[in-house]
């Protein structure tokens, strides 16, 4: 029999056979469920930590209780009989690294028949433009109701448009995708981090940027953490660009105003964001300089490697994630009897 059964507004949790379980409500798009299940299964099989979705006796993901849809999760790591999800430990940046370093093959996300297509964030600038349009409509509908939003919204929507332009003007083509989270912040717990219902698929810099923004508005000095991440993450050129665009895009502000309009937050919460405008602009300038240095180092190393490969006697071919040749040195061309039309 299950032990220590607790109930809250959105979930039940209980202890059974030395394991903890949570029965949690699911109110998102039901079309995503099969792909969420497949992704969580895929990640578990490759050793990525994740709460396990338990199918019901009819082999379905959803169980209806009083006409409400629930999903049963077996909680990772937590075997204590007095476990409570609300008291789960808070994450650190290092907890994000297994997700950031796990690259999802392009063939699983690139076309509409791909296994995880619906979970992937394919066109960032388009998604942001949709978000901006939606928020502008919301604000116009409530124009005089929220004076602090009315006063500040123009600045932050401008930041959002700048981020979109930055993406579009740089012709982003090469992005590596990894399991990411819909939202992530300093308050995230282990329970949230390993919850498969929080997953999306996005660029390797998504979680990092959102986490750093969260730390900043909790008054933490994040420049050293960002610098260390940029040095150790082995990002490619387009990922540097997307990282800066994500730091530009004010999700921290937009999330709060949506909560205010929904009635789940007070307008005063915006003040701690608005009061740090100048500090955040300084941070963005410093990040930009840091990115330039890291990008220049990447270019230097790339040229150095190309010079080495050019003069090697062994034939070398390099392929991208889609199996296309992205580099072939003269020795390989000679071995394969390929004609070099570049000379």
């Amino acid at each position: 029999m299950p032990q220590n059964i607790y109930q809250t507004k959105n979930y039940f949790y209980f202890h059974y056979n030395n394991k903890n379980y949570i029965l949690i409500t699911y109110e998102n798009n039901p079309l995503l469920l099969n792909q969420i299940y497949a992704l969580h299964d895929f990640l578990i099989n490759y050793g990525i930590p994740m709460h396990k979705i338990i199918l019901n006796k009819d082999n379905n993901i959803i169980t209806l209780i009083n006409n409400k849809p629930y999903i049963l999760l077996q909680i990772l790591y937590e075997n204590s009989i007095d476990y409570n999800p609300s008291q789960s430990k808070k994450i650190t940046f290092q907890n994000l690294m297994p997700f950031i370093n796990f690259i999802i093959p392009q063939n699983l996300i690139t076309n509409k028949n791909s296994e995880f297509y619906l979970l992937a964030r394919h066109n960032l600038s388009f998604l942001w433009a949709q978000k901006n349009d939606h928020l502008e409509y919301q604000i116009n509908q409530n124009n005089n109701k929220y004076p602090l939003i009315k006063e500040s919204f123009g600045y932050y929507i401008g930041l959002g448009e700048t981020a979109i332009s930055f993406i579009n003007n740089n012709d982003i083509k090469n992005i590596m995708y990894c399991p990411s989270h819909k939202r992530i912040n300093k308050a995230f717990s282990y329970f949230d981090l390993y919850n498969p219902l929080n997953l999306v698929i996005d660029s390797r810099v998504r979680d990092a940027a959102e986490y750093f923004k969260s730390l900043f508005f909790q008054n933490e000095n994040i420049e050293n953490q960002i610098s260390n991440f940029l040095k150790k993450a082995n990002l490619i050129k387009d990922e540097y660009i997307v990282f800066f665009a994500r730091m530009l895009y004010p999700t921290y502000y937009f999330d709060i105003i949506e909560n205010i309009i929904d009635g789940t937050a007070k307008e005063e919460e915006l003040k701690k964001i608005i009061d740090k405008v100048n500090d955040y602009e300084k941070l963005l300038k410093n990040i930009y300089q840091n990115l330039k240095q890291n990008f220049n180092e990447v270019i230097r190393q790339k040229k150095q490697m190309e010079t080495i490969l050019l003069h090697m006697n062994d034939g070398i071919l390099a392929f991208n994630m889609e199996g296309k040749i992205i580099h072939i040195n003269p020795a390989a061309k000679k071995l394969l009897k390929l004609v070099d039309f570049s000379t």
Side-chain angles (χ1 to χ4, degrees), residues 213-273:
K213 285 187 283 189
S214 163
L215 291 184
F216 177 85
F217 289 104
Q218 294 294 324
N219 298 315
E220 292 201 24
N221 188 335
I222 60 172
E223 287 195 45
N224 287 338
Q225 292 187 61
I226 290 175
S227 180
N228 288 335
F229 168 69
L230 295 175
K231 286 177 183 176
K232 296 176 181 178
N234 295 317
L235 302 180
I236 57 178
K237 171 196 165 187
D238 285 354
E239 290 175 319
Y240 284 118
I241 293 167
V242 173
F243 178 77
F244 187 68
R246 280 204 165 273
M247 293 301 293
L248 269 175
Y249 194 79
T251 46
Y252 50 89
Y253 175 88
F254 292 155
D255 285 350
I256 292 177
I257 67 171
E258 286 191 300
N259 290 340
I260 292 168
I261 292 170
D262 289 342
T264 57
K266 294 183 178 180
E267 195 177 12
E268 293 76 36
E269 289 187 35
L270 283 179
K271 200 165 186 319
K272 67 180 181 182
I273 301 293

Side-chain angles (χ1 to χ4, degrees), residues 25-273:
T25 55
Y26 182 78
E27 297 175 350
N28 294 323
N29 186 349
L31 296 177
L32 298 178
L33 266 180
N34 287 334
Q35 295 203 4
I36 289 172
Y37 184 84
L39 177 60
H40 116 287
D41 209 34
F42 179 78
L43 296 176
I44 289 173
N45 287 338
Y46 277 92
I48 302 299
M50 188 67 49
H51 304 322
K52 184 173 179 58
I53 297 174
I54 306 297
L55 301 180
N56 64 21
K57 62 182 177 62
D58 298 317
N59 222 32
N60 293 325
I61 301 170
I62 289 287
T63 298
L64 290 176
I65 300 175
N66 297 326
N67 291 320
K68 275 185 91 171
Y70 284 84
I71 295 175
L72 181 62
L73 302 177
Q74 180 184 315
I75 305 301
L76 184 71
Y77 297 143
E78 301 284 359
N79 296 324
S80 168
I81 196 167
D82 58 356
Y83 170 69
N84 185 330
S86 66
Q87 297 168 2
S88 185
K89 281 182 13 179
K90 299 298 183 268
I91 67 167
T92 67
F93 187 74
Q94 286 306 310
N95 298 131
L96 299 179
M97 293 311 295
F99 295 90
I100 292 171
N101 290 330
F102 186 85
I103 306 303
I104 294 180
Q106 293 282 333
N107 66 300
L108 296 179
I109 58 176
T110 47
N111 64 67
K112 291 183 179 180
N113 295 319
S114 298
E115 193 166 3
F116 307 139
Y117 179 80
L118 294 176
L119 297 176
R121 301 300 192 251
H122 296 284
N123 189 333
L124 186 58
S125 60
F126 175 74
L127 293 173
W128 280 350
Q130 282 189 316
K131 175 86 167 178
N132 286 9
D133 290 345
H134 170 71
L135 289 170
E136 287 179 316
Y137 173 80
Q138 291 281 84
I139 298 308
N140 287 335
Q141 293 295 106
N142 297 275
N143 196 30
N144 297 314
K145 192 174 179 180
Y146 305 108
L148 200 53
I149 294 179
K150 184 177 179 181
E151 178 185 331
S152 58
F153 184 73
Y155 172 82
Y156 289 100
I157 204 73
L159 266 186
E161 295 295 341
T162 301
I164 292 168
S165 297
F166 191 70
I167 291 282
N168 290 338
N169 292 339
N170 279 283
D171 191 25
I172 304 298
K173 291 179 179 176
N174 298 311
I175 291 293
M176 287 189 278
Y177 288 86
C178 71
S180 306
H181 297 81
K182 294 175 185 175
R183 275 292 176 272
I184 199 156
N185 56 55
K186 182 185 176 182
F188 234 51
S189 68
Y190 277 32
F191 173 74
D192 301 314
L193 181 69
Y194 301 133
N195 184 352
L197 306 182
N198 285 336
L199 289 178
V200 293
I201 296 171
D202 208 334
S203 72
R204 292 194 298 158
V205 299
R206 176 188 176 116
D207 277 2
E210 297 306 319
Y211 186 74
F212 289 140
K213 285 187 283 189
S214 163
L215 291 184
F216 177 85
F217 289 104
Q218 294 294 324
N219 298 315
E220 292 201 24
N221 188 335
I222 60 172
E223 287 195 45
N224 287 338
Q225 292 187 61
I226 290 175
S227 180
N228 288 335
F229 168 69
L230 295 175
K231 286 177 183 176
K232 296 176 181 178
N234 295 317
L235 302 180
I236 57 178
K237 171 196 165 187
D238 285 354
E239 290 175 319
Y240 284 118
I241 293 167
V242 173
F243 178 77
F244 187 68
R246 280 204 165 273
M247 293 301 293
L248 269 175
Y249 194 79
T251 46
Y252 50 89
Y253 175 88
F254 292 155
D255 285 350
I256 292 177
I257 67 171
E258 286 191 300
N259 290 340
I260 292 168
I261 292 170
D262 289 342
T264 57
K266 294 183 178 180
E267 195 177 12
E268 293 76 36
E269 289 187 35
L270 283 179
K271 200 165 186 319
K272 67 180 181 182
I273 301 293

Side-chain angles (χ1 to χ4, degrees), residues 155 223 244 247-248 277-293:
Y155 172 82
E223 287 195 45
F244 187 68
M247 293 301 293
L248 269 175
V277 163
N278 292 335
D279 291 337
Y280 196 72
E281 286 182 354
K282 289 176 186 175
L283 173 70
L284 289 173
K285 289 176 184 176
N286 292 340
I287 291 172
Y288 185 75
Q289 292 303 318
N290 195 328
L291 286 170
K292 280 178 65 177
Q293 292 174 6

Side-chain angles (χ1 to χ4, degrees), residues 295-320:
F295 181 64
N296 289 337
E297 178 62 15
V298 168
I299 295 297
R300 186 192 69 77
Q301 290 178 0
K302 183 172 182 288
K303 287 181 177 177
Q304 186 180 53
M305 184 59 68
E306 287 175 346
T307 301
I308 292 169
L309 293 174
L310 184 66
H311 294 95
M312 284 183 69
N313 292 325
D314 294 328
I316 302 291
L317 287 86
F319 299 85
N320 65 13

